[in-house]
Each structure stands twice: as structure tokens, then as C-alpha cells.
Amino acid sequence: MQLDGSFQVPAPRLLVWEGIRDPALMAACVPGCQSAERITDTSFRAVVTVKFGPISATFNLVLEIEDEVPPTSLAARVKGEEGSRASTVSALSTLRLSEAMDGTQVDWSADVAVAGRLGKYGLGLMRKKIESLSADFTAAFAARLAAEAAKQGAT
């Protein structure tokens, strides 16, 4: 399933880039994220719980950065599975950061595959859930970085 979108962050591009590479900040912004940690400079592990209707699934995820051009672009692959292996998820994502009038424009795309019990839901329902999670993330991420930019006195 191909998804894409964009959002603005009222903060300088370098601050946005640092936020994207900060597992603690990302964990605080990703809905359902219970933990996130850096394994290496380009590899991260996270535990994320997602509720889809009556089903709750906890995924153990590994994110590998495959390509990056700081502070402009990043490509990453995410793979994960439920503890019971009832569902698996994989995604190839790209981010592009550019200067905007009031901060930073973030353009993103993701090719997401879900298999197993969650994969049985229709593509339309799965897309709506992922879009909802994405909207929650972007709002939290933009708010946190806007506060940090204000604290630093930069926009």
C-alpha cells in the first residue's frame, strides 16, 4: 500500500532533522510507541502497540536507515512482527526536508505491507488507520519541535 503526505514544522530544518534522528523524541510522538532505542547509528528498535477495531497488536520493530543526506533526505526500511507472529509489517519510507516560509516542509512516502491477522482487513480500512496514526504523529512531532524552536529562539 503506497502512502504519502507532507506537513510543516515551525522549526529550522536542522532541528527537524535532529528530531527525526532522536529515538526518544520519535517514541514520544509515535502513537502507541512503548519504547525506542538506538542499536547503531543507522539502526533502531521500537515496540509499538496498534489498536485496529477490537484487535490490539504489539509489534517489535527494527528500523534500518538505508540512505541519508543530512539534513535533506532519509530512506529507511522497517520490519517487524507481533510477539505471537500473528501479523507482520514491513515498510520502505522516504523523507525529504526543505526550507519553508515558516520553518520546514516535510514530504514523506511509504510503501507499507501488512500480513497475517491484521492483513485480513480491507485495504481501505488499513489505509484509514495508517493515515490516522500518521496525522497523530505529525501533530505531536510538529508541536514538540515548535516548542523546542521557541525555547531556542529560532524559527
Side-chain angles (χ1 to χ4, degrees):
M1 163 179 18
Q2 184 65 41
L3 301 164
D4 54 29
S6 63
F7 62 99
Q8 290 214 359
V9 180
R13 185 167 58 165
L14 185 57
L15 185 61
V16 174
W17 179 262
E18 291 168 354
I20 288 168
R21 297 287 269 121
D22 180 348
L25 176 65
M26 295 300 282
C29 297
V30 172
C33 187
Q34 299 171 10
S35 65
E37 64 179 324
R38 183 182 311 270
I39 301 168
T40 68
D41 193 46
T42 59
S43 178
F44 302 85
R45 182 180 4 251
V47 177
V48 178
T49 299
V50 179
K51 291 186 181 185
F52 194 81
I55 296 175
S56 180
T58 299
F59 287 92
N60 297 305
L61 303 171
V62 174
L63 179 142
E64 296 281 344
I65 296 173
E66 295 185 336
D67 184 44
E68 65 181 326
V69 180
T72 304
S73 64
L74 181 139
R77 184 172 304 278
V78 177
K79 292 184 180 181
E81 61 185 31
E82 267 187 278
S84 62
R85 296 183 185 208
S87 296
T88 61
V89 63
S90 63
L92 180 58
S93 303
T94 59
L95 293 173
R96 192 162 306 282
L97 280 58
S98 57
E99 300 291 333
M101 193 98 128
D102 295 322
T104 304
Q105 171 81 20
V106 180
D107 297 299
W108 62 271
S109 67
D111 187 7
V112 181
V114 180
R117 70 181 181 148
L118 292 182
K120 295 176 185 175
Y121 284 92
L123 189 59
L125 292 174
M126 189 64 66
R127 180 180 300 276
K128 283 184 181 181
K129 181 61 176 180
I130 293 171
E131 288 172 347
S132 170
L133 293 171
S134 176
D136 291 347
F137 166 78
T138 58
F141 186 76
R144 285 181 180 262
L145 287 178
E148 182 62 27
K151 189 166 61 173
Q152 292 181 8
T155 55

